PDB file of all heavy atoms in Angstrom:
ATOM      1  N   ASN A1277     -98.281 -34.478-174.467  1.00 90.00           N
ATOM      2  CA  ASN A1277     -97.953 -35.798-175.010  1.00 90.00           C
ATOM      3  C   ASN A1277     -98.539 -35.984-176.407  1.00 90.00           C
ATOM      4  O   ASN A1277     -97.881 -36.528-177.290  1.00 90.00           O
ATOM      5  CB  ASN A1277     -98.444 -36.899-174.078  1.00 90.00           C
ATOM      6  CG  ASN A1277     -97.654 -36.970-172.794  1.00 90.00           C
ATOM      7  OD1 ASN A1277     -96.520 -36.504-172.723  1.00 90.00           O
ATOM      8  ND2 ASN A1277     -98.246 -37.531-171.768  1.00 90.00           N
ATOM      9  N   GLY A1280     -96.404 -34.054-178.705  1.00 89.00           N
ATOM     10  CA  GLY A1280     -94.977 -34.395-178.715  1.00 89.00           C
ATOM     11  C   GLY A1280     -94.094 -33.269-178.237  1.00 89.00           C
ATOM     12  O   GLY A1280     -92.990 -33.082-178.750  1.00 89.00           O
ATOM     13  N   PRO A1297     -84.244 -34.501-175.456  1.00 50.00           N
ATOM     14  CA  PRO A1297     -85.292 -34.343-176.458  1.00 50.00           C
ATOM     15  C   PRO A1297     -85.834 -35.705-176.878  1.00 50.00           C
ATOM     16  O   PRO A1297     -85.079 -36.633-177.117  1.00 50.00           O
ATOM     17  CB  PRO A1297     -84.590 -33.659-177.627  1.00 50.00           C
ATOM     18  CG  PRO A1297     -83.324 -33.118-177.073  1.00 50.00           C
ATOM     19  CD  PRO A1297     -82.982 -33.939-175.871  1.00 50.00           C
ATOM     20  N   SER A1298     -87.129 -35.781-176.968  1.00 59.00           N
ATOM     21  CA  SER A1298     -87.764 -37.037-177.336  1.00 59.00           C
ATOM     22  C   SER A1298     -88.285 -36.944-178.758  1.00 59.00           C
ATOM     23  O   SER A1298     -89.410 -36.533-178.994  1.00 59.00           O
ATOM     24  CB  SER A1298     -88.899 -37.359-176.371  1.00 59.00           C
ATOM     25  OG  SER A1298     -89.568 -38.509-176.803  1.00 59.00           O
ATOM     26  N   LYS A1299     -87.442 -37.294-179.685  1.00 59.00           N
ATOM     27  CA  LYS A1299     -87.858 -37.323-181.085  1.00 59.00           C
ATOM     28  C   LYS A1299     -88.932 -38.377-181.280  1.00 59.00           C
ATOM     29  O   LYS A1299     -89.820 -38.232-182.109  1.00 59.00           O
ATOM     30  CB  LYS A1299     -86.672 -37.611-182.007  1.00 59.00           C
ATOM     31  CG  LYS A1299     -85.840 -36.406-182.301  1.00 59.00           C
ATOM     32  CD  LYS A1299     -86.617 -35.474-183.177  1.00 59.00           C
ATOM     33  CE  LYS A1299     -85.749 -34.364-183.680  1.00 59.00           C
ATOM     34  NZ  LYS A1299     -86.531 -33.305-184.276  1.00 59.00           N
ATOM     35  N   GLU A1300     -88.864 -39.436-180.480  1.00 62.00           N
ATOM     36  CA  GLU A1300     -89.830 -40.520-180.606  1.00 62.00           C
ATOM     37  C   GLU A1300     -91.248 -40.027-180.339  1.00 62.00           C
ATOM     38  O   GLU A1300     -92.165 -40.331-181.095  1.00 62.00           O
ATOM     39  CB  GLU A1300     -89.488 -41.654-179.651  1.00 62.00           C
ATOM     40  CG  GLU A1300     -90.412 -42.839-179.791  1.00 62.00           C
ATOM     41  CD  GLU A1300     -90.027 -43.970-178.865  1.00 62.00           C
ATOM     42  OE1 GLU A1300     -88.859 -44.045-178.446  1.00 62.00           O
ATOM     43  OE2 GLU A1300     -90.909 -44.770-178.568  1.00 62.00           O
ATOM     44  N   SER A1301     -91.443 -39.219-179.287  1.00 67.00           N
ATOM     45  CA  SER A1301     -92.788 -38.741-178.990  1.00 67.00           C
ATOM     46  C   SER A1301     -93.271 -37.772-180.069  1.00 67.00           C
ATOM     47  O   SER A1301     -94.438 -37.772-180.427  1.00 67.00           O
ATOM     48  CB  SER A1301     -92.851 -38.084-177.615  1.00 67.00           C
ATOM     49  OG  SER A1301     -92.055 -36.932-177.574  1.00 67.00           O
ATOM     50  N   GLU A1302     -92.360 -36.972-180.601  1.00 68.00           N
ATOM     51  CA  GLU A1302     -92.731 -36.061-181.679  1.00 68.00           C
ATOM     52  C   GLU A1302     -93.101 -36.847-182.930  1.00 68.00           C
ATOM     53  O   GLU A1302     -94.092 -36.558-183.589  1.00 68.00           O
ATOM     54  CB  GLU A1302     -91.576 -35.102-181.977  1.00 68.00           C
ATOM     55  CG  GLU A1302     -91.942 -34.025-182.976  1.00 68.00           C
ATOM     56  CD  GLU A1302     -90.843 -32.992-183.136  1.00 68.00           C
ATOM     57  OE1 GLU A1302     -90.146 -32.689-182.163  1.00 68.00           O
ATOM     58  OE2 GLU A1302     -90.708 -32.489-184.254  1.00 68.00           O
ATOM     59  N   LEU A1303     -92.325 -37.865-183.246  1.00 68.00           N
ATOM     60  CA  LEU A1303     -92.628 -38.705-184.403  1.00 68.00           C
ATOM     61  C   LEU A1303     -93.932 -39.456-184.204  1.00 68.00           C
ATOM     62  O   LEU A1303     -94.717 -39.603-185.148  1.00 68.00           O
ATOM     63  CB  LEU A1303     -91.483 -39.682-184.664  1.00 68.00           C
ATOM     64  CG  LEU A1303     -90.198 -39.076-185.207  1.00 68.00           C
ATOM     65  CD1 LEU A1303     -89.102 -40.131-185.265  1.00 68.00           C
ATOM     66  CD2 LEU A1303     -90.420 -38.465-186.576  1.00 68.00           C
ATOM     67  N   ASN A1304     -94.189 -39.919-182.984  1.00 74.00           N
ATOM     68  CA  ASN A1304     -95.448 -40.610-182.703  1.00 74.00           C
ATOM     69  C   ASN A1304     -96.635 -39.678-182.919  1.00 74.00           C
ATOM     70  O   ASN A1304     -97.652 -40.090-183.465  1.00 74.00           O
ATOM     71  CB  ASN A1304     -95.466 -41.156-181.281  1.00 74.00           C
ATOM     72  CG  ASN A1304     -94.636 -42.405-181.134  1.00 74.00           C
ATOM     73  OD1 ASN A1304     -94.342 -43.082-182.107  1.00 74.00           O
ATOM     74  ND2 ASN A1304     -94.244 -42.712-179.912  1.00 74.00           N
ATOM     75  N   ALA A1305     -96.514 -38.437-182.499  1.00 75.00           N
ATOM     76  CA  ALA A1305     -97.598 -37.473-182.690  1.00 75.00           C
ATOM     77  C   ALA A1305     -97.853 -37.257-184.179  1.00 75.00           C
ATOM     78  O   ALA A1305     -98.995 -37.236-184.626  1.00 75.00           O
ATOM     79  CB  ALA A1305     -97.272 -36.147-182.001  1.00 75.00           C
ATOM     80  N   HIS A1306     -96.773 -37.120-184.958  1.00 74.00           N
ATOM     81  CA  HIS A1306     -96.918 -36.953-186.404  1.00 74.00           C
ATOM     82  C   HIS A1306     -97.522 -38.199-187.041  1.00 74.00           C
ATOM     83  O   HIS A1306     -98.409 -38.115-187.883  1.00 74.00           O
ATOM     84  CB  HIS A1306     -95.567 -36.654-187.065  1.00 74.00           C
ATOM     85  CG  HIS A1306     -95.150 -35.229-186.964  1.00 74.00           C
ATOM     86  ND1 HIS A1306     -95.821 -34.208-187.585  1.00 74.00           N
ATOM     87  CD2 HIS A1306     -94.134 -34.656-186.302  1.00 74.00           C
ATOM     88  CE1 HIS A1306     -95.230 -33.061-187.310  1.00 74.00           C
ATOM     89  NE2 HIS A1306     -94.209 -33.308-186.524  1.00 74.00           N
ATOM     90  N   ALA A1307     -97.045 -39.349-186.636  1.00 77.00           N
ATOM     91  CA  ALA A1307     -97.542 -40.607-187.197  1.00 77.00           C
ATOM     92  C   ALA A1307     -99.026 -40.786-186.896  1.00 77.00           C
ATOM     93  O   ALA A1307     -99.805 -41.195-187.761  1.00 77.00           O
ATOM     94  CB  ALA A1307     -96.744 -41.785-186.648  1.00 77.00           C
TER      95      ALA A1307
END
Side-chain angles (χ1 to χ4, degrees):
N1277 290 338
S1298 175
K1299 279 290 189 193
E1300 183 178 337
S1301 64
E1302 187 173 326
L1303 289 174
N1304 283 340
H1306 279 294

